[in-house]
């Protein structure tokens, strides 16, 4: 059996990043924005002027997490609290799993084909920027 896999193209990633960057500028939150493909491989990322250097890896890992588990990192975070079903998940995958808001899967025709990750502001700001990115997809 052959499985056909759709994924995010560079053109898709650039459009998503442009929308995220515009929203980040609008809300005054310099951000790192990353897009991964269906295999959770990095397609593109940017670090806006004055965005935290330490958040580069976090944005990439938020995108990885959203694709690896096909769930928004905000939702995963709720299930990763003490006593919840995924408590400790952030220690899996060599520490790449992020349980902060700002990572969201990208879907096409109901299938996850990639993800976006945003880091640089508060959780609420990162989520807002990521939602703008998804809307442009």
């Amino acid at each position: 059996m052959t499985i056909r896999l759709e994924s995010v193209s560079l053109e898709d990633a650039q459009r998503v990043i442009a929308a995220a960057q515009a929203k980040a500028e609008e809300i005054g939150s310099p951000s790192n924005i990353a897009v991964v493909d269906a295999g959770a491989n990095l397609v593109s990322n940017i670090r806006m002027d004055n965005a935290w250097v330490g958040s580069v890896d976090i944005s990439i890992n938020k995108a990885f997490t959203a694709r690896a588990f096909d769930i928004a990192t905000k939702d995963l975070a709720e299930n990763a609290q003490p006593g919840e079903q995924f408590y400790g998940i952030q220690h899996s995958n060599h520490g790449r799993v992020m349980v902060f808001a700002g990572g969201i899967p990208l879907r096409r025709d109901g299938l996850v084909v990639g993800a976006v990750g945003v880091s640089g502001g508060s959780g609420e700001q990162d989520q807002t920027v990521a939602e703008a990115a998804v809307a442009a997809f």
Side-chain angles (χ1 to χ4, degrees):
M1 172 173 54
T2 301
I3 297 174
R4 198 179 110 232
L5 182 66
E6 288 196 41
S7 195
V8 174
S9 68
L10 177 58
E11 182 180 333
D12 292 330
Q14 290 171 329
R15 183 177 61 256
V16 165
I17 286 174
Q21 183 176 357
K23 179 55 85 172
E25 289 170 353
E26 177 187 319
I27 67 172
S29 181
S31 299
N32 296 280
I33 305 158
V35 175
V36 298
D37 64 15
N41 301 296
L42 184 64
V43 176
S44 186
N45 76 301
I46 64 162
R47 178 179 163 261
M48 293 173 62
D49 293 340
N50 299 314
W52 296 329
V53 173
S55 287
V56 173
D57 284 344
I58 294 171
S59 66
I60 294 168
N61 288 339
K62 284 182 182 183
F64 165 82
T65 301
R67 176 55 190 113
F69 297 101
D70 295 343
I71 187 172
T73 56
K74 178 182 177 190
D75 297 334
L76 184 59
E78 293 171 11
N79 288 298
Q81 300 304 309
E84 296 298 324
Q85 64 179 336
F86 297 129
Y87 178 64
I89 196 168
Q90 68 272 17
H91 302 295
S92 70
N93 291 273
H94 306 286
R96 289 193 69 189
V97 176
M98 293 287 120
V99 291
F100 310 126
I104 305 176
L106 297 172
R107 298 177 192 278
R108 182 176 288 135
D109 299 325
L111 298 174
V112 177
V113 296
V116 61
V118 177
S119 185
S122 68
E124 184 178 325
Q125 289 170 319
D126 291 353
Q127 187 70 22
T128 297
V129 173
E131 287 171 0
V134 171
F137 183 65

